[in-house]
Amino acid sequence: MEFKGSHILSIRQFERGDIDTLFATADSMEPYAQRRRVTRVLEGAILGNMFFEPSTRTRVSFGCAFNLLGGEVRETTGFSSSAVVKGESLQDTARVLSGYSDIICMRHPDSGSVADFASTSRVPVINGGDGPNEHPTQALLDLYTIEKELSARGRNLDNLRIAMVGDLKFGRTVHSLCKLLMLYKQVSITLVSPPELAMPAELVDEMRSAGIAVEQTDQLDQGIARAHIVYSTRIQEERFASVEEADMYRGKMRINQSIYTRHCEPNTVIMHPLPRDSRSDANELDTDLDDNPNLAIFRQADNGILVRMALFAQVLGVAHMVDQYSHDVRWHHRRG
Ligand code: CP
């Protein structure tokens, strides 16, 4: 794909070579993400961050990533603070905001809404999650994390065995990650969910046609038994018809240290896009795993900065100039 000037709406836009390019750029962002060096390569540029659904990681890490490249961020959060509540269409909103920004990140509760917005935008638009459909930048940072975690354990993506656990029907992160994994060979995916929250059948069929070995089960212990990566997900309460319906599934696929010790192979990596639901009736990823060195969830969230910096640098065509406009920080840098 041609990164420069492109909208990033779906993970399907990416080929293997694009992923390699992006991840090499992400690696080069480490001194800046760790605040050891400063770059001003995007000085004067403005990111329009438009989040019509709640977000902590995606919204803040997009903003931090842009700031770390020297650009500025303007945010709109929630429908109530946007003229969309007065009946303005997404297309008109895009026509206006693309005059104020050099790139726009957007999250919205409806599938296809970000593409709809992008259709009239004069600047690149990045999908920060459109309803249950896709979350492409999460899939990119997830794959980046999988590669890093496997590499630290002497493995690579070949023959990857991954178990995806939880709400696979509404979870957009797993939808995007499955589409991305179709680019890789000899991948095995075990889908672990209540039958009512199974991965959409058409996506399962597509993965099988692409050569992925897919198993489906509602038995957590069997599903996670041989995995290199266990990718847990939250019950997506906001996509259910009622809270009571979501309550029926909360806590059904709970992983804690005891379950991990009994059923996972040593060094199995635990991932989660976050937020994990830590309320007692859910607790899908127990806090008793927090001292387990194989719990990668916060390294995964940190990687969001690197990958999103890389994406901005590529889409705005400045990846080759980041170091040129840089210097060491003049204050002591963070530890750890
Ligand atoms: N993973 C993720 O999308 O988190 P937020 O909802 O906090 O952005």
Side-chain angles (χ1 to χ4, degrees):
M1 69 180 279
E2 174 64 40
F3 277 103
K4 190 173 175 185
S6 290
H7 300 308
I8 306 295
L9 302 175
S10 168
I11 204 66
R12 291 188 194 278
Q13 293 170 242
F14 292 82
E15 302 286 344
R16 281 278 292 262
D18 306 322
I19 302 295
D20 294 344
T21 300
L22 191 74
F23 287 3
T25 309
D27 287 344
S28 74
M29 296 297 174
E30 272 200 15
Y32 307 104
Q34 293 170 357
R35 271 79 94 201
R36 286 187 280 116
R37 285 186 71 76
V38 172
T39 178
R40 307 306 303 163
V41 72
L42 285 185
E43 194 163 33
I46 295 177
L47 163 68
N49 227 4
M50 299 197 57
F51 277 69
F52 292 112
E53 270 193 333
S55 169
T56 297
R57 276 143 293 274
T58 312
R59 180 175 58 81
V60 178
S61 68
F62 267 133
C64 288
F66 208 75
N67 286 150
L68 288 166
L69 290 166
E72 305 215 12
V73 183
R74 291 287 174 270
E75 282 197 347
T76 307
T77 53
F79 285 102
S80 62
S81 56
S82 155
V84 170
V85 288
K86 301 177 191 171
E88 187 169 45
S89 68
L90 284 179
Q91 291 94 336
D92 276 1
T93 306
R95 286 183 180 104
V96 172
L97 286 178
S98 57
Y100 300 164
S101 318
D102 301 287
I103 188 164
I104 295 171
C105 297
M106 182 173 163
R107 172 173 288 188
H108 191 283
D110 296 338
S111 294
S113 53
V114 182
D116 194 19
F117 179 91
S119 67
T120 54
S121 171
R122 288 167 282 156
V123 300
V125 175
I126 300 182
N127 183 357
D130 60 328
N133 184 38
E134 279 225 35
H135 194 345
T137 63
Q138 179 71 45
L140 293 168
L141 77 89
D142 287 343
L143 186 66
Y144 185 78
T145 303
I146 291 170
E147 273 203 324
K148 293 272 176 222
E149 295 291 329
L150 291 179
S151 168
R153 290 161 181 76
R155 292 190 170 279
N156 56 36
L157 279 171
D158 291 334
N159 301 307
L160 169 69
R161 294 197 298 265
I162 181 169
M164 298 183 181
V165 180
D167 181 353
L168 307 183
K169 177 181 180 184
F170 295 121
R172 59 192 171 199
T173 71
V174 283
H175 298 168
S176 288
L177 185 55
C178 283
K179 291 170 191 169
L180 186 53
L181 288 172
M182 284 190 257
L183 296 177
Y184 295 83
K185 301 280 177 235
Q186 294 176 307
V187 171
S188 304
I189 303 182
T190 305
L191 302 170
V192 190
S193 70
E196 299 84 355
L197 301 184
M199 182 72 68
E202 60 274 19
L203 188 49
V204 174
D205 291 344
E206 193 185 344
M207 285 193 281
R208 289 190 171 131
S209 299
I212 292 186
V214 183
E215 289 180 21
Q216 292 181 280
T217 178
D218 59 0
Q219 299 299 306
L220 179 66
D221 50 357
Q222 290 169 19
I224 62 178
R226 295 182 59 249
H228 304 129
I229 306 278
V230 171
Y231 188 106
S232 168
T233 63
R234 181 178 62 89
I235 299 298
Q236 305 283 300
E237 176 184 314
E238 61 275 32
R239 315 264 178 246
F240 284 77
S242 67
V243 173
E244 291 71 28
E245 193 190 342
D247 284 342
M248 289 164 50
Y249 304 105
R250 239 190 280 276
K252 289 242 186 300
M253 295 285 164
R254 186 175 285 175
I255 302 173
N256 58 26
Q257 185 59 51
S258 165
I259 290 169
Y260 180 91
T261 305
R262 275 187 283 138
H263 301 293
C264 291
E265 291 184 0
N267 282 330
T268 297
V269 178
I270 307 167
M271 294 176 58
H272 191 300
L274 301 179
R276 60 177 160 176
D277 187 343
S278 293
R279 290 172 288 192
S280 57
D281 57 342
N283 211 20
E284 66 243 3
L285 215 48
D286 199 292
T287 51
D288 73 358
L289 287 158
D290 286 2
D291 292 329
N292 184 328
N294 296 301
L295 186 78
I297 57 176
F298 299 114
R299 295 190 288 277
Q300 184 181 356
D302 281 354
N303 288 337
I305 293 280
L306 295 169
V307 171
R308 290 179 172 123
M309 286 181 81
L311 204 53
F312 284 137
Q314 289 291 348
V315 170
L316 293 175
V318 298
H320 60 295
M321 293 189 290
V322 170
D323 293 338
Q324 192 181 331
Y325 294 96
S326 72
H327 59 79
D328 285 339
V329 295
R330 287 178 284 272
W331 44 281
H332 65 89
H333 65 79
R334 290 156 27 114
R335 302 217 189 319

